[in-house]
């Protein structure tokens, strides 16, 4: 079964800390992986998309990596700010016919001032 | 460039009623996907449309249906509403289903 796991479910850090959010997937036959941010009661905002042929993508203070052999992706947030507080979800699209995005349950991040 | 829009944003219905939700994708996007988000189950895939054709369907009962119009706008319909259908319904659009997905703000459905 193709699953995506995000542990821990919640994380609290002081402002300014560099942090890593983890995402695990069960099948190395992955087409791409996308990281999203969701604020309470809102839709999802796309942060980064990594294709299976790529190792990492960067956008501002965010860096996402993909390691198919270990079934892991990480989202690195540099110099965290209170405005980074949100739920971060990763979603994998596996190869094969009729592929769909499979989401993890998300990590709720709280950055303390 | 306008983002994905969903209407209505909030909806309150009673059990047994039916509801129709609407999604307008980003201009030029031909793929629209629908998801249900609940605290217990997280985000679950409902269905995906591309150029008016349903390409993929999740594991939801037949009460959940959808369609896509020639202008790529999509609607989903839920008939005979149950309390468990209360959720945030999200749609996402992309140029094609394999590329980056862009989500709308969602429709919050409450079934009483």
């Amino acid at each position: 079964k193709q699953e995506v796991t995000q542990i821990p479910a919640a994380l609290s850090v002081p402002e300014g800390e560099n942090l890593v959010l983890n995402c695990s997937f069960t099948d190395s036959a992955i087409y791409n992986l996308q990281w999203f941010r969701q604020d309470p009661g809102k839709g999802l905002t796309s942060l980064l998309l990594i294709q299976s042929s790529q190792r990492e993508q960067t956008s501002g203070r965010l860096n996402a990596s993909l390691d198919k052999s270990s079934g892991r992706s990480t989202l690195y947030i540099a110099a965290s700010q209170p405005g980074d507080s949100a739920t971060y979800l990763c979603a994998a699209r596996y190869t094969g016919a009729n592929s769909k995005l499979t989401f993890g349950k998300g990590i709720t991040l709280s950055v303390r001032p | 460039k306008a983002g994905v829009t969903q209407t209505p944003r909030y909806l309150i219905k009673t059990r047994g009623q039916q509801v129709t939700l609407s999604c307008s994708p980003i201009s030029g996007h031909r793929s629209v996907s629908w998801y249900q988000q609940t605290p217990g189950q997280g985000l679950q895939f409902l269905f995906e449309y591309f150029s008016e054709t349903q390409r993929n369907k999740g594991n939801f009962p037949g009460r959940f249906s959808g369609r896509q119009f020639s202008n790529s706008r999509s609607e989903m319909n839920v008939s005979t509403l149950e309390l468990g259908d209360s959720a945030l319904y999200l749609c996402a659009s992309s140029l094609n289903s394999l590329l980056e997905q862009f989500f709308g703000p969602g429709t919050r459905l409450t079934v009483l």
Side-chain angles (χ1 to χ4, degrees), chain B residues 19-49:
Chain B
V19 67
T20 299
L21 312 182
S22 180
C23 172
S24 293
I26 292 171
S27 178
H29 285 191
R30 296 165 65 188
S31 171
V32 173
S33 300
W34 288 88
Y35 297 83
Q36 181 196 65
Q37 186 177 32
T38 58
Q41 299 296 317
L43 270 149
Q44 293 187 288
F45 172 77
L46 281 157
F47 25 66
E48 180 214 332
Y49 288 87

Side-chain angles (χ1 to χ4, degrees), chain A residues 32 34 38 46 93 98 100, chain B residues 37 56 97-98 100-101:
Chain A
N32 59 39
Q34 196 167 352
Q38 186 175 33
S46 177
R93 186 180 297 278
N98 301 325
K100 65 183 193 308
Chain B
Q37 186 177 32
N56 203 354
S97 59
L98 298 179
E100 188 173 6
Q101 303 286 304

